[in-house]
């Protein structure tokens, strides 16, 4: 899993370089810094699923053209985080050097429902709390639970997180998951071709053809039978579900309460197995030669059958 992202709204982050360096040096957390509320809100709207937490300056600029810091910026960002909590519930705290907010810490907590830290004298406490928030967030919990599958590629990490959040939240009627599974399978088929496992180049619309080759009897010497069946099952269900057919209806109606979980686990089986394959240049060349021979054999048999 890649670094955990934390939104940091701060108009002068260069003055807090030590705080940033102390947190980022362990290579687990990376700050996404926004100097004004407008840019922070835009980022949240487009990327909140990527975040594990947020650190908010109480007084910063409303937008890039602002010349005066205001508490309204804090309220705008805080309100957007709360508005989008159905997509990704992230924790946040206020980070300020202004005494007028720090002198009534209890009142601030009651009004804004978040902790407040002094950026001049409580950076150690703030760092500790931030690490706790990140480690307790669903992204950390899921990446720790399903760690190996995230190591295959950063290109599918966010899609996998969204899929696994649906499973962890027991959303048994969320048929939108099939589109997300289909998206990961599209990437998988491109990956299979690139590492010499498949002889059929993925075009965007030939998922079934790719699966048919990988699931052929001849490919059984390379692809374990349980992976072949996982490919077939995942693709059949994802295609049907993403096209709003029977599986979509049965999932939404609650007639198939375990289908999402079982399909996701089939997908995880595939990713886990793919992760075990060596992808050095020599291994890919050997694998490609083997699958090319198998593909040619299948084509020869088909040609002979068509002439009978």
């Amino acid at each position: 899993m890649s670094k955990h992202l934390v939104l940091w709204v701060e108009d002068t982050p260069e003055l807090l370089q030590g705080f940033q360096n102390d947190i980022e040096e362990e290579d687990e957390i990376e700050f996404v810094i926004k100097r004004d509320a407008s840019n922070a809100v835009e980022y949240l709207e487009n990327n909140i699923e990527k975040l594990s937490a947020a650190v908010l300056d109480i007084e910063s600029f409303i937008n890039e053209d602002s010349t005066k810091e205001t508490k309204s910026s804090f309220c705008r960002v805080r309100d957007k985080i709360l508005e989008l909590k159905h997509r990704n519930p992230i924790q946040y705290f206020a980070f300020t050097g202004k005494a007028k907010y720090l002198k009534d810490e209890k009142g601030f907590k009651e009004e804004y429902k978040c902790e407040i830290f002094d950026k001049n004298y409580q950076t150690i406490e703030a760092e500790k709390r931030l690490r706790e928030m990140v480690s307790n967030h669903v992204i950390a919990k899921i990446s720790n639970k399903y760690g190996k599958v995230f190591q295959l590629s950063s290109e599918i990490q966010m899609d996998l997180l969204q899929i696994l959040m649906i499973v962890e939240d027991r959303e048994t009627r969320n048929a939108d998951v099939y589109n997300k599974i289909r998206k990961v399978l599209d990437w998988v088929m491109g990956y299979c071709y690139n590492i010499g496992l498949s002889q059929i180049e993925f075009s965007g619309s030939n998922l079934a053809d790719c699966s048919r080759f990988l699931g052929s009897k001849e490919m059984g010497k390379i692809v374990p039978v349980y992976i072949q069946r996982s490919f077939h099952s995942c693709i059949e269900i994802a295609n049907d579900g993403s096209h709003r057919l029977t599986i979509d209806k049965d999932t939404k109606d609650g007639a198939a309460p375990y289908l999402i979980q079982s399909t996701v686990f089939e997908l995880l089986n595939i990713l886990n197995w793919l992760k075990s394959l060596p992808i050095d240049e020599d291994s890919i060349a050997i694998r490609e030669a083997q699958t090319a021979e198998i593909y040619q054999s299948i084509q020869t048999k088909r040609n002979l059958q068509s002439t009978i």
Side-chain angles (χ1 to χ4, degrees):
M1 183 64 190
S2 57
K3 296 179 183 180
H4 296 286
L5 299 182
V6 172
L7 175 65
W8 186 14
V9 183
E10 170 60 57
D11 55 331
T12 55
E14 60 276 3
L15 299 181
L16 294 163
Q17 195 67 52
F19 172 71
Q20 181 179 353
N21 292 342
D22 287 345
I23 290 176
E24 292 186 334
E25 69 178 359
E26 292 187 20
D27 214 33
E28 294 179 357
I29 295 174
E30 180 179 341
F31 282 115
V32 176
I33 301 174
K34 300 297 176 184
R35 293 175 179 267
D36 61 83
S38 294
N39 278 310
V41 166
E42 182 181 2
Y43 183 86
L44 286 166
E45 290 173 340
N46 295 321
N47 302 284
I48 193 168
E49 288 85 0
K50 299 179 180 179
L51 295 173
S52 296
V55 177
L56 310 179
D57 190 4
I58 297 180
E59 288 190 5
S60 60
F61 299 123
I62 287 290
N63 54 51
E64 294 177 349
D65 299 322
S66 300
T67 57
K68 184 179 180 182
E69 297 173 333
T70 171
K71 189 173 73 173
S72 297
S73 61
F74 169 83
C75 294
R76 276 192 67 190
V77 179
R78 188 278 312 261
D79 290 349
K80 182 58 65 173
I81 289 173
L82 296 177
E83 178 189 327
L84 299 176
K85 66 180 181 180
H86 65 287
R87 286 170 51 187
N88 181 14
I90 62 172
Q91 290 183 287
Y92 60 94
F93 62 73
F95 204 35
T96 185
K98 302 288 175 68
K100 60 182 177 180
Y101 302 115
L102 293 164
K103 68 181 181 181
D104 186 17
E105 185 176 327
K106 183 178 179 181
F108 184 90
K109 286 183 179 179
E110 290 177 354
E111 182 175 357
Y112 295 104
K113 309 297 186 240
C114 74
E115 295 169 275
I116 180 172
F117 293 95
D118 187 334
K119 66 172 67 172
N120 296 316
Y121 301 104
Q122 291 183 302
T123 56
I124 294 175
E125 292 87 345
E127 178 183 344
K128 180 181 177 181
R129 181 62 184 126
L130 180 58
R131 293 191 185 281
E132 289 174 352
M133 288 162 58
V134 168
S135 64
N136 289 328
H137 187 263
V138 65
I139 289 179
K141 290 180 178 178
I142 288 176
S143 61
N144 288 335
K145 185 174 181 179
Y146 302 97
K148 192 173 181 179
V149 297
F150 288 105
Q151 298 169 14
L152 189 59
S153 174
S154 60
E155 294 180 46
I156 55 173
Q157 283 183 356
M158 289 315 302
D159 294 307
L160 276 176
L161 274 173
Q162 292 171 21
I163 290 168
L164 291 169
M165 284 172 72
I166 290 172
V167 172
E168 291 295 304
D169 290 343
R170 304 182 191 279
E171 296 181 40
T172 60
R173 299 191 183 196
N174 189 342
D176 291 341
V177 73
Y178 300 121
N179 277 320
K180 301 179 189 300
I181 292 173
R182 169 64 194 258
K183 187 177 178 182
V184 173
L185 287 170
D186 286 351
W187 179 90
V188 163
M189 287 309 181
Y191 180 77
C192 288
Y193 180 78
N194 291 335
I195 66 169
L197 185 63
S198 176
Q199 285 294 309
I200 301 177
E201 186 172 5
F202 181 61
S203 66
S205 59
N206 61 342
L207 201 58
D209 291 337
C210 295
S211 173
R212 199 172 296 115
F213 173 71
L214 292 171
S216 64
K217 181 179 179 181
E218 293 82 353
M219 280 292 290
K221 65 182 74 173
I222 297 176
V223 183
V225 65
Y226 71 94
I227 297 298
Q228 290 182 317
R229 290 175 179 173
S230 289
F231 268 119
H232 176 75
S233 175
C234 265
I235 289 168
E236 286 292 311
I237 292 171
N239 275 340
D240 187 295
S242 62
H243 287 95
R244 303 292 187 260
L245 301 175
T246 303
I247 287 173
D248 177 81
K249 181 179 183 303
D250 285 353
T251 298
K252 289 177 177 176
D253 291 346
Y258 307 108
L259 185 58
I260 289 176
Q261 186 177 52
S262 64
T263 305
V264 171
F265 284 174
E266 298 261 41
L267 178 64
L268 295 181
N269 277 335
I270 294 169
L271 298 174
N272 189 65
W273 178 72
L274 287 175
K275 181 66 178 66
S276 71
L277 298 179
I279 54 172
D280 58 275
E281 192 173 315
D282 290 342
S283 296
I284 291 175
I286 293 170
R287 191 181 302 123
E288 190 165 14
Q290 292 173 328
T291 58
E293 184 178 344
I294 291 171
Y295 181 76
Q296 187 59 49
S297 172
I298 293 172
Q299 293 302 108
T300 299
K301 288 179 182 178
R302 286 178 181 170
N303 292 337
L304 286 174
Q305 289 173 352
S306 65
T307 61
I308 298 175

